[in-house]
Amino acid sequence: MDLVSLIPQTVLQLIRGGVVQELRVVWQHMRELLIVPILKFAVFICLAMSVMLFIDRVYMGIVILFLKLSRRKPEKHYKWEEIKDDIEMGNSTYPMVLVQVPMYNEKEVYQLSIGAACALSWPSDRIIIQVLDDSTNLDIKGSVQTECQKWASKGINIYYEARTNRNGYKAGALKEGLEHDYVETCDFVVIFDADFQPDPDFLRQTIPYFVHNPDIGLVQARWEFVNANECLQTRVQEMSLNYHFGVEQEVGSSTYAFFGFNGTAGVWRIDAIKEAGGWKDRTTVEDMDLAVRASLAGWKFVYIGNLKVKNELPSTFKAFRYQQHRWSCGPANLFRKMFMEIIKNKTVHLWKKIYVIYSFFLVRKIVAHIVTFFFYCVIIPTCVFFPEVELPIWDLFYLPTVITILNAIETPRSLHLVVFWILFDNVMALHRTKGTFIGLFEAGGRVKEWVVTEKLGDALLKPKENNRTVIKPSKRTRFSAFMERVHLLEVGMGTYILVSACYDARYGKYWYFIYLFGQAIAFLVMGFGHVGTMIPPS
């Protein structure tokens, strides 16, 4: 008796009758009734978000154009006069200033930051340097304390403050720093993260805004990147951050006297901090949290674009990923916590509340991340398999082209890298979107995850071999070192987009193919070793 005779006749009939055909019919019904409608709805939502983002970008572009044509400067809009020495009153004409330098295991940069803070040009009896050291490495902790003692021996009024815990992370350190008795004499507080190196005249450029304008609560300076030329990754980061400082911050300051405090390179009026409720550690963006609350209390903010403070960009992909998670998760979580507080506020006018809720939070902190990832990295590749879902050319080409030009024009020296910026930004949109959803829904344990961005400091200036940083041999095996560099999310997305690109090429949709193939390669490169952190930018 053969095997076929043992199979029931009904089964054989189904097989011979065409099970495959039946599956095709089921798939076709699922496609028509479920998948295609869902995909069309997703396309509609993404188109709406793209329009929101486009309008916001064009609006800011128009404002910046007006500001440049009218040559409107902060010192012209607000009263500003240099503080001059007075023989009769002595140094009492200078306000008392506290300079806070928070740090955590900053082996490479602590000397640079402390030295820059101590070199600020301000009467020695009217300034207090406060080093807030949360280091857990005892050797580094001892080195920081020794550095503070060295400057104290030179007559600098410097205090070394160390906590026994890291409660509240940076926000907790800044909060406790303001609670010391000697701070009661101070009117203003300046914050410099450990990798920031202000010029000596920083206080002379910023403090006069407070002295002559009692309603100003914050003055923010621009960041200048000492390692922008380190690699391709730092160059594309520079493009994004130049747009943030040169456009977003400038527009917020000029139109609504509001923007998000960047956490460093800024001066606060201590009364503004107190009136806003002080530092809070409820999110990973304690700086933005304080800024929103201070603005709702009626304080005005001033951004000085021509005052630049040197600092460092993350030059490793791992450090950049953690930073982007914090910068996307934190604002989304803060939006969740403060939405009703903003709505119910009776101090600021309606237009400012609309600006904060819609432009500042919804469009720039949420929509921008979501539409970049889902539309350009998920919807477009998926639509290759569903030709009945149409994608309008205006959203595929015209809107992103205008948005890209408006972003890239702030960094003219990197215009030739704009394609790399697009692909790299889309890859990072994966992590920003993930962080945004974690923040919005407070999902998982990463909503308050705080990882200090690694800094290299003097290592950036150390000798290089063949234009590449000399890397010491690792004791790890090659396989373990390779696996640490593999990121499954990027690899998975890159593989999916590559499959859709191949499918597209097979069926002749070549106008999709170039973009899809390039985006797939970008995901795979970052997923299998983030070569962008090692490639020279030129």
Side-chain angles (χ1 to χ4, degrees):
M1 182 179 293
D2 59 359
L3 182 62
V4 175
S5 62
L6 296 176
I7 301 175
Q9 290 298 313
T10 54
V11 175
L12 289 175
Q13 289 175 1
L14 284 174
I15 295 175
R16 293 167 182 171
V19 173
V20 174
Q21 186 63 30
E22 291 294 328
L23 291 175
R24 286 178 179 174
V25 172
V26 172
W27 165 247
Q28 190 62 32
H29 278 81
M30 287 183 60
R31 182 187 183 107
E32 294 176 356
L33 299 177
L34 182 64
I35 299 177
V36 171
I38 291 176
L39 195 55
K40 286 183 177 181
F41 179 73
V43 169
F44 173 78
I45 295 298
C46 287
L47 295 182
M49 290 192 292
S50 295
V51 172
M52 292 168 63
L53 185 61
F54 173 77
I55 293 174
D56 186 64
R57 291 290 192 268
V58 172
Y59 157 73
M60 289 192 291
I62 294 173
V63 173
I64 285 297
L65 181 61
F66 169 77
L67 293 175
K68 290 185 177 181
L69 291 177
S70 62
R71 297 182 179 180
R72 185 178 179 183
K73 303 283 186 179
E75 58 267 26
K76 294 181 180 179
H77 184 65
Y78 296 97
K79 187 177 181 181
W80 187 94
E81 291 181 8
E82 183 180 357
I83 301 176
K84 298 180 180 179
D85 295 332
D86 190 304
I87 298 177
E88 295 182 359
M89 299 184 64
N91 291 336
S92 62
T93 57
Y94 291 84
M96 196 71 182
V97 178
L98 173 70
V99 180
Q100 291 184 316
V101 185
M103 57 179 58
Y104 172 73
N105 292 338
E106 306 291 359
K107 179 181 179 181
E108 302 291 347
V109 296
Y110 73 90
Q111 289 179 309
L112 294 174
S113 58
I114 295 175
C118 293
L120 289 170
S121 176
W122 202 253
S124 59
D125 60 335
R126 307 299 293 172
I127 185 172
I128 298 174
I129 311 297
Q130 187 184 66
V131 177
L132 305 170
D133 189 13
D134 274 1
S135 299
T136 53
N137 185 305
L138 296 181
D139 292 335
I140 297 176
K141 206 165 189 173
S143 299
V144 174
Q145 188 171 13
T146 301
E147 184 71 11
C148 292
Q149 292 172 350
K150 183 186 78 173
W151 284 101
S153 66
K154 297 180 180 181
I156 301 297
N157 192 10
I158 185 170
Y159 288 84
Y160 173 80
E161 304 290 354
R163 300 192 297 167
T164 57
N165 58 69
R166 290 192 68 208
N167 293 340
Y169 301 106
K170 181 181 174 182
L174 294 173
K175 181 180 180 180
E176 288 193 23
L178 292 176
E179 294 174 352
H180 293 282
D181 294 338
Y182 57 82
V183 177
E184 294 179 1
T185 61
C186 298
D187 304 300
F188 308 103
V189 56
V190 192
I191 302 169
F192 295 116
D193 281 354
D195 58 322
F196 279 72
Q197 305 163 47
D199 289 335
D201 66 343
F202 181 88
L203 295 179
R204 295 184 180 274
Q205 294 290 327
T206 55
I207 297 298
Y209 284 100
F210 296 100
V211 174
H212 303 294
N213 304 275
D215 57 345
I216 290 179
L218 167 67
V219 174
Q220 173 74 59
R222 182 167 179 160
W223 297 2
E224 183 178 30
F225 313 108
V226 298
N227 65 331
N229 293 323
E230 182 71 11
C231 59
L232 186 60
Q233 176 181 293
T234 54
R235 283 290 288 272
V236 296
Q237 286 181 72
E238 181 192 35
M239 293 178 69
S240 296
L241 287 172
N242 278 349
Y243 181 81
H244 169 69
F245 286 105
V247 178
E248 292 180 345
Q249 298 280 80
E250 194 75 64
V251 169
S253 176
S254 301
T255 55
Y256 295 96
F258 168 78
F259 48 83
F261 175 46
N262 295 310
T264 180
V267 188
W268 277 96
R269 189 187 298 272
I270 293 182
D271 286 343
I273 295 178
K274 292 179 179 178
E275 188 175 341
W279 292 101
K280 294 183 179 181
D281 61 353
R282 55 181 175 174
T283 69
T284 57
V285 285
E286 74 294 324
D287 42 14
M288 186 182 296
D289 188 347
L290 177 61
V292 174
R293 286 184 283 113
S295 179
L296 294 178
W299 293 98
K300 294 182 179 180
F301 302 165
V302 178
Y303 171 73
I304 311 176
N306 58 2
L307 179 60
K308 300 179 181 180
V309 181
K310 297 177 182 177
N311 77 299
E312 180 183 328
L313 289 165
S315 55
T316 66
F317 187 56
K318 181 180 180 181
F320 185 58
R321 286 180 72 194
Y322 280 123
Q323 183 196 70
Q324 293 302 296
H325 171 81
R326 189 172 76 246
W327 285 6
S328 57
C329 179
N333 192 232
L334 181 62
F335 180 60
R336 170 194 173 102
K337 294 178 183 298
M338 292 204 68
F339 179 77
M340 291 308 301
E341 186 176 341
I342 298 171
I343 292 291
K344 296 177 180 179
N345 181 270
K346 297 180 180 180
T347 303
V348 300
H349 55 76
L350 177 62
W351 286 111
K352 188 169 186 177
K353 289 195 285 186
I354 293 175
Y355 173 78
V356 173
I357 291 175
Y358 178 78
S359 295
F360 181 76
F361 274 116
L362 183 61
V363 176
R364 300 173 199 171
K365 309 301 181 185
I366 298 176
V367 166
H369 305 326
I370 293 176
V371 71
T372 300
F373 172 65
F374 278 106
F375 187 65
Y376 297 104
C377 302
V378 177
I379 300 298
I380 292 179
T382 303
C383 285
V384 168
F385 304 104
F386 299 90
E388 57 267 52
V389 180
E390 296 183 5
L391 296 174
I393 188 65
W394 56 267
D395 196 44
L396 283 172
F397 180 76
Y398 299 127
L399 295 194
T401 298
V402 173
I403 292 174
T404 300
I405 292 174
L406 291 174
N407 189 99
I409 203 170
E410 281 296 314
T411 314
R413 77 185 189 98
S414 298
L415 286 175
H416 63 292
L417 299 175
V418 69
V419 173
F420 294 101
W421 174 78
I422 293 171
L423 298 177
F424 182 80
D425 199 61
N426 286 353
V427 173
M428 295 314 302
L430 165 65
H431 300 286
R432 294 174 185 141
T433 301
K434 182 178 69 172
T436 298
F437 281 118
I438 290 174
L440 278 176
F441 300 105
E442 295 191 338
R446 295 195 65 190
V447 69
K448 294 192 70 175
E449 181 183 53
W450 181 281
V451 179
V452 177
T453 304
E454 179 186 9
K455 295 125 185 152
L456 300 179
D458 286 336
L460 295 170
L461 306 176
K462 291 178 181 177
K464 295 184 179 182
E465 187 177 283
N466 298 326
N467 293 324
R468 293 174 185 264
T469 304
V470 178
I471 302 175
K472 296 181 180 180
S474 174
K475 295 181 180 179
R476 297 170 298 173
T477 64
R478 291 184 178 181
F479 178 76
S480 62
F482 173 77
M483 289 307 297
E484 284 186 8
R485 297 169 66 87
V486 174
H487 303 286
L488 296 180
L489 281 175
E490 286 89 341
V491 173
M493 285 301 306
T495 302
Y496 176 70
I497 297 175
L498 184 61
V499 169
S500 66
C502 295
Y503 184 89
D504 174 67
R506 178 183 177 186
Y507 287 94
K509 298 178 183 178
Y510 298 108
W511 61 295
Y512 276 177
F513 175 76
I514 296 177
Y515 163 74
L516 293 175
F517 184 77
Q519 191 62 71
I521 295 301
F523 268 102
L524 292 173
V525 164
M526 303 308 285
F528 278 118
H530 35 91
V531 180
T533 63
M534 299 179 286
I535 299 177
S538 59

